[in-house]
Amino acid sequence: MSETVAQLSKKTGASPVLQVAHLSKKLGGKPILQDCSLTLNRGELKVLIGPSGAGKSTLLQCINCLIPPDEGKILLEGRALNVADRRALCAFRAQVGMIFQDFNLFDHLTAEENVAIALRKVRGMNRQDAQRRAQEELGRVGMSRRAGLYPAQLSGGQKQRVAIARALAMDPKVILLDEPTSALDPELVGEVLAVIKDLARGGMTMLMATHQMDFARALAHEILFMEQGIIIEQGAPDVLLAEGSATRTRDFCKHLLEMGA
Ligand SMILES: Nc1ncnc2c1ncn2[C@@H]1O[C@H](COP(=O)(O)OP(=O)(O)O)[C@@H](O)[C@H]1O
Ligand SMILES: [Mg+2]
């Protein structure tokens, strides 16, 4: 498989960081994901959209093996992940950042400690180096001044920025974001999208589930539209959202606009 990947990159000039091939998952006997395949090339931002219950969160969690897939392959830089190998799985997870809707910060740790703890536990850094690196990453998301505050003292937007700093501290090869602005008050959405926009412009490879269509239209290399566990459309925003196009993606966006989302 890695040969095929190398040959493909040579031919197209694209460099696949993450490949997901024919991923399927059943939960409670019900098919939740069916034959999902996608490729993220280096520096690409792809956006996953679709109605609630489509399987977006399950797909992102299967890619990170937080939920083990039933079938399919996941490749990072051309190397297939062996889910049964615990060490390989830990190494894989350390390279694939995950951002959740509800931040998932430790409430009893300050912003800085939330970022530093992963550096110490996963990277084995000493306390001082971890603190220094945590400060740097918090600076990148505009949170230096609030490094000593606890999650309860931060707004939702600030908490999400800390979660992004924590992911960045691991030097991930790719970041998966599951509706990172959905739990935020509308006035806080912009500050988190601005951070994600900076990452995209800086060449970070990302797959992001979102309903923020203006953001997707402006920044995504591709939109993946998902419904009932199947990726049914995949293409550049210009193509899928073109005036007059009869795509499911465009239907869905019109529906979102009508709902005032
Ligand atoms: N543990 C579970 N057991 C059974 N069904 C589940 C479980 N978790 C999620 N589902 C179902 O999987 C479907 C996809 O859910 P999800 O991935 O959360 O969709 P989305 O993120 O697109 O809203 C939904 O129908 C949901 O009810
Ligand atoms: Mg979801």
Side-chain angles (χ1 to χ4, degrees):
M1 187 73 195
S2 55
E3 253 182 45
T4 326
V5 171
Q7 282 162 1
L8 184 78
S9 347
K10 224 172 168 183
K11 230 165 82 182
T12 60
S15 167
V17 175
L18 181 78
Q19 290 165 290
V20 174
H22 309 295
L23 206 96
S24 294
K25 179 72 190 175
K26 282 187 181 167
L27 287 171
K30 190 178 139 204
I32 307 293
L33 298 177
Q34 300 184 61
D35 199 20
C36 292
S37 297
L38 62 96
T39 298
L40 281 180
N41 292 314
R42 196 168 308 285
E44 274 184 337
L45 164 67
K46 290 197 177 179
V47 161
L48 196 55
I49 65 165
S52 177
K56 303 179 295 296
S57 296
T58 309
L59 176 59
L60 292 172
Q61 289 180 52
C62 276
I63 293 175
N64 206 7
C65 292
L66 291 172
I67 301 175
D70 295 338
E71 281 172 51
K73 272 191 172 177
I74 298 154
L75 296 94
L76 191 64
E77 293 184 325
R79 295 176 65 174
L81 170 67
N82 176 3
V83 184
D85 179 344
R86 290 297 304 175
R87 286 181 71 157
L89 187 59
C90 286
F92 173 85
R93 288 213 182 110
Q95 299 175 80
V96 179
M98 184 92 195
I99 300 293
F100 299 92
Q101 196 171 335
D102 54 1
F103 329 121
N104 277 19
L105 296 178
F106 292 115
D107 289 333
H108 65 292
L109 299 179
T110 64
E112 182 186 290
E113 288 163 350
N114 263 284
V115 180
I117 193 167
L119 290 165
R120 291 173 55 206
K121 300 271 183 220
V122 182
R123 294 268 185 256
M125 253 186 207
N126 69 41
R127 186 178 291 268
Q128 214 179 13
D129 287 348
Q131 272 176 351
R132 195 177 313 125
R133 180 70 195 269
Q135 275 293 348
E136 262 172 50
E137 296 303 342
L138 288 169
R140 258 173 101 175
V141 299
M143 287 293 291
S144 295
R145 284 194 307 117
R146 297 186 173 83
L149 299 183
Y150 288 87
Q153 300 170 299
L154 300 173
S155 72
Q158 292 165 348
K159 280 189 263 202
Q160 194 58 295
R161 287 191 279 148
V162 173
I164 293 171
R166 179 177 58 182
L168 290 174
M170 306 306 289
D171 285 324
K173 296 209 161 85
V174 51
I175 302 184
L176 311 174
L177 304 102
D178 191 3
E179 299 201 32
T181 61
S182 295
L184 303 178
D185 291 335
E187 72 273 19
L188 302 179
V189 168
E191 67 188 63
V192 172
L193 290 183
V195 167
I196 299 169
K197 192 192 265 188
D198 275 354
L199 294 181
R201 294 213 167 120
M204 181 61 76
T205 310
M206 294 185 279
L207 177 62
M208 170 173 167
T210 187
H211 288 170
Q212 297 290 330
M213 290 314 300
D214 288 342
F215 178 88
R217 193 189 277 268
L219 285 162
H221 292 84
E222 263 188 16
I223 291 177
L224 284 67
F225 181 80
M226 197 167 179
E227 200 165 43
Q228 296 182 351
I230 301 170
I231 298 173
I232 61 171
E233 282 175 358
Q234 217 174 128
D238 286 359
V239 176
L240 293 188
L241 299 171
E243 203 62 41
S245 71
T247 60
R248 277 293 292 123
T249 308
R250 192 166 141 79
D251 276 357
F252 177 73
C253 291
K254 272 167 84 178
H255 175 72
L256 277 185
L257 278 175
E258 281 157 20
M259 305 278 289

